[in-house]
Amino acid sequence: MLSDSQELDEVVVTGYQKISKERATGSFSVVTAKDYKGKMETDIMSRIEGLVTGLVNYNKQVSIRGVSTVYGNRDPLYVVDGVPYEGKIEAINPADVENISVLKDATAASIYGARSANGVIVITTRSGEKGKTRVSYNGSVKFTPLPSHSYMNLTSSGELVDLMQELFGYYHNPYQPTDARSTNEIYLLMYKREAGEIATDAELQSQLDVYRNRDSYSQIKDELLRKAEITHQHNISFSGGSDIYKYALSANYQEKLPYEKEQSNQRIGFNLKNQFDFFKWLQVNVGIINSNYKADYDNGFQGFSNLYSKPYRMLRNEDGTPAIWTMNRTQESIDGLVAKGLLDETYRPLDEIDKAHYNNEKKYQNLNVSAKFKIMPELNLSIYYQNENTSIYNSQYYDVNSYTMKSTINDATVIKDGTITNHIPVGGRLSETWNKNKSYTFRVQADFNKEFGRHDVQVLVGAERRQVKTQSSYYTKWGYD
C-alpha cells in the first residue's frame, strides 16, 4: 500500500517488507509484468504458470512445490499490497499487477506462520506517479476452435453399433424394462429380436443400419455450439499526480463465450489507489478494489458434452421435428405411466434446453487505508487497515416440465387403489447456495533500517489483528414455480 521508488524487479516483497534479492533467504521467485507480457489469460495465476518453478495451476487449484494436504485447504496464502487477501484471486486484474513474489519454503514464508503452509504469493499492484495524466488501454480477443472431429479419430456410429452387437452376443442379462442396457436404443432392438418381436436377423440388421448411418455431430455443432470459444478482455487505466497527490485508476471488462451458444459470463471491476503526501513525514494511502462476476443462462441440455458420444442419437428427425432419446425408461414404459396418470418422461433434447436455468454471481469489495509516519530517517511507523466483503450466489432451477423433474416426481409417486400420491410436490425445483465472507485486518508496524559502514541493521516490530467471518447456506425448494 505504501510506495517505494526502488525497482520491484530488484527486490523480494514479503508483504511486511522489501528485501534485496541478495539479502533474501529461502526459496523464492520474482515475476514482473514484463515477464508475462503478451499472455492473454484472464487471471494472474494462469499468466505466471510456467514462469515460476514449482508452481502448478490445474483447474484453478494453485499449488507450490506439490500438494501439502489431502483433505485440508490447499490454497496458498495471497498477500495483496502488503495485507493478506481473503477474496477470489480472479478478482485481481492482471493488468494492474506490477510485481509478484512467490515465497516457496518455510524459511522464506516463516513470517506468516501456519498460514504459509501452502506457500505465499505476494502481489503488488501499480501505483500512481508524478506527472500529467496518462491514459493507457490494452485489450485482447482469443479464439479457441472446437477440437477437430476428424483428427480425434473417434468411433463411428457403424463401428459402435457393431461393437454393441458383438458384446450382446457374448453375454447379456435378461430383459428388464428399467435396466440401462435394456433401455438403450441399440440393445432394445436386440432384445426384441431375442423375444421374437423382430422376426428375422435381416429385419434386425435393417433396423440397426438406420443407426449405423447416422452421425449427430453436424446437428449438434450447427444448432447448439459456436465454432470457437471466444474470450475478450479490455483494460483502461488513468494515472498521474503531483508532489502532494498521486492516483491510479483502472477499469477492466472480461467476457467469455464458451462453446455452448446459450452460455456466457462477464466480469467487470475497477481498482483505485490514492496516495497523499501531506508532509515529508506523513504519507496516507486509500484504495478500493471492486469486482463483479455474473453467469446467467439456460442449461437444460449441453451440446458439447454430447458432441462426441453416441453419434447415432440425432437431435432432429428427418422431417425436422425434435428427436426422442431413450433414457431410463422405454417408450412403452413411459406410455404405461402416462396412462396411469403420471407425468410424461419422453425426452427430447431440444425441448429441454430452456427447461433448466443456471445463475452464478460473485461480488468482491476491498477498502484499504494506510498511513506511514517517518519518525527518523532510519525509523518508520506504519498503520494498515483493510476491510473485505465477498458474496457468492449459485442457483440451479429445473422447470416442472423438465425431464429431470418429471422423472424425479414419478419415482417418488405411489399408486394405491387407483389413488395417486405424490411424495414430491408437482412443480419445479430451485437449489440455491449463498457464501458470504467478511474480514478485516489491522496492523501497526515499525521498521528500522540503518547502515553502519559495511553493516546493515534491519529491525521489524509490529502487531496485527485479523478477523474472518464466513457464512454459508444451502436451500432446495421443491414445488417451486
Side-chain angles (χ1 to χ4, degrees):
M1 257 183 271
L2 303 176
S3 66
D4 194 318
S5 59
Q6 189 174 9
E7 291 292 334
L8 287 178
D9 57 354
E10 299 174 356
V11 299
V12 178
V13 182
T14 67
Y16 290 100
Q17 60 184 159
K18 297 175 182 178
I19 308 172
S20 60
K21 288 183 177 180
E22 61 272 12
R23 294 183 181 274
T25 59
S27 179
F28 60 86
S29 293
V30 178
V31 180
T32 65
K34 297 177 183 178
D35 297 323
Y36 58 78
K37 184 178 181 181
K39 287 196 171 186
M40 293 186 292
E41 285 78 8
T42 56
D43 64 282
I44 188 62
M45 289 298 102
S46 296
R47 291 197 181 189
I48 69 171
E49 187 177 19
L51 301 176
V52 177
T53 56
L55 186 146
V56 177
N57 180 21
Y58 180 72
N59 286 338
K60 295 187 178 181
Q61 176 63 61
V62 178
S63 62
I64 300 174
R65 287 190 166 183
V67 177
S68 62
T69 177
V70 177
Y71 299 109
N73 179 26
R74 300 182 183 182
D75 295 327
L77 173 65
Y78 294 102
V79 178
V80 178
D81 289 334
V83 182
Y85 176 83
E86 297 293 337
K88 296 293 184 181
I89 194 62
E90 292 83 5
I92 301 297
N93 180 8
D96 291 338
V97 176
E98 188 173 17
N99 168 281
I100 302 172
S101 296
V102 181
L103 314 180
K104 302 177 183 179
D105 62 4
T107 303
S110 59
I111 196 169
Y112 291 99
R115 289 182 295 167
S116 65
N118 300 319
V120 181
I121 298 177
V122 184
I123 299 173
T124 304
T125 60
R126 299 182 188 277
S127 300
E129 297 180 358
K130 179 181 177 182
K132 294 182 179 180
T133 299
R134 291 177 290 275
V135 181
S136 65
Y137 165 84
N138 67 76
S140 65
V141 181
K142 182 173 70 172
F143 298 88
T144 306
L146 277 169
S148 172
H149 185 232
S150 59
Y151 181 80
M152 295 176 74
N153 194 26
L154 299 173
T155 303
S156 66
S157 296
E159 293 170 332
L160 186 57
V161 170
D162 291 342
L163 175 62
M164 295 170 72
Q165 189 174 16
E166 184 176 353
L167 293 175
F168 187 88
Y170 284 132
Y171 176 80
H172 60 274
N173 293 320
Y175 174 76
Q176 296 291 334
T178 58
D179 183 78
R181 290 188 63 174
S182 301
T183 56
N184 176 278
E185 296 95 328
I186 309 303
Y187 285 122
L188 187 58
L189 290 176
M190 300 178 198
Y191 276 116
K192 288 183 177 181
R193 172 69 183 102
E194 188 175 60
E197 296 179 34
I198 297 178
T200 64
D201 289 340
E203 184 179 348
L204 171 64
Q205 294 305 319
S206 176
Q207 294 190 36
L208 290 177
D209 285 342
V210 174
Y211 292 96
R212 287 190 177 100
N213 296 323
R214 288 178 175 178
D215 188 353
S216 61
Y217 178 82
S218 296
Q219 281 192 358
I220 295 177
K221 181 172 68 71
D222 295 341
E223 293 211 31
L224 303 178
L225 303 178
R226 298 182 176 97
K227 294 182 179 179
E229 179 182 272
I230 304 172
T231 303
H232 63 100
Q233 54 185 328
H234 309 274
N235 304 284
I236 186 169
S237 62
F238 306 85
S239 64
S242 61
D243 291 331
I244 299 177
Y245 172 63
K246 301 178 182 66
Y247 65 91
L249 171 64
S250 67
N252 169 258
Y253 176 77
Q254 301 173 4
E255 183 176 36
K256 183 175 182 178
L257 304 173
Y259 294 125
E260 302 283 346
K261 289 182 179 180
E262 292 289 332
Q263 297 184 12
S264 66
N265 60 71
Q266 303 83 31
R267 183 187 297 276
I268 186 170
F270 69 87
N271 185 5
L272 174 62
K273 296 180 72 174
N274 299 281
Q275 176 183 321
F276 302 90
D277 295 291
F278 293 116
F279 308 100
K280 291 183 178 180
W281 53 270
L282 174 61
Q283 180 188 106
V284 176
N285 290 267
V286 179
I288 301 174
I289 301 174
N290 184 279
S291 175
N292 294 277
Y293 169 89
K294 186 172 184 178
D296 190 21
Y297 50 81
D298 293 333
N299 66 337
F301 179 77
Q302 305 287 323
F304 187 75
S305 60
N306 289 278
L307 186 62
Y308 304 109
S309 64
K310 298 182 179 179
Y312 53 80
R313 284 184 164 181
M314 307 297 288
L315 289 181
R316 292 190 181 276
N317 300 314
E318 294 182 359
D319 59 0
T321 57
I324 295 175
W325 287 14
T326 303
M327 300 299 284
N328 294 327
R329 289 186 173 92
T330 63
Q331 194 60 44
E332 291 83 355
S333 177
I334 294 173
D335 293 340
L337 294 177
V338 173
K340 294 178 181 179
L342 274 66
L343 299 177
D344 186 356
E345 295 182 36
T346 302
Y347 185 78
R348 298 178 178 87
L350 292 178
D351 291 342
E352 292 291 320
I353 295 175
D354 62 350
K355 299 299 188 300
H357 192 83
Y358 175 76
N359 184 30
N360 178 221
E361 297 180 13
K362 301 176 185 178
K363 298 179 180 180
Y364 174 77
Q365 295 177 335
N366 178 315
L367 173 64
N368 52 80
V369 181
S370 66
K372 179 179 180 180
F373 301 87
K374 184 175 281 295
I375 299 175
M376 295 173 12
E378 304 86 3
L379 179 62
N380 295 317
L381 176 67
S382 302
I383 301 175
Y384 301 82
Y385 176 78
Q386 176 174 278
N387 184 282
E388 295 178 276
N389 285 279
T390 302
S391 176
I392 302 176
Y393 172 74
N394 277 285
S395 70
Q396 178 64 61
Y397 172 69
Y398 291 99
D399 186 87
V400 63
N401 295 312
S402 67
Y403 169 78
T404 298
M405 287 310 303
K406 289 188 289 188
S407 62
T408 301
I409 293 170
N410 283 351
D411 289 343
T413 298
V414 175
I415 303 177
K416 185 176 182 180
D417 299 329
T419 301
I420 298 176
T421 303
N422 296 311
H423 291 286
I424 291 178
V426 178
R429 185 182 73 195
L430 177 66
S431 299
E432 295 179 298
T433 302
W434 291 88
N435 290 287
K436 295 183 179 180
N437 184 295
K438 295 183 178 181
S439 67
Y440 77 82
T441 301
F442 178 76
R443 183 199 308 163
V444 178
Q445 176 180 323
D447 300 271
F448 180 83
N449 189 347
K450 186 174 179 62
E451 294 185 5
F452 300 92
R454 298 173 58 185
H455 303 283
D456 185 8
V457 177
Q458 293 185 0
V459 179
L460 186 153
V461 179
E464 181 177 284
R465 178 180 176 84
R466 298 183 69 242
Q467 184 181 75
V468 180
K469 290 184 177 180
T470 301
Q471 178 184 357
S472 62
S473 57
Y474 176 78
Y475 304 97
T476 298
K477 302 173 183 178
W478 298 88
Y480 187 91
D481 292 316

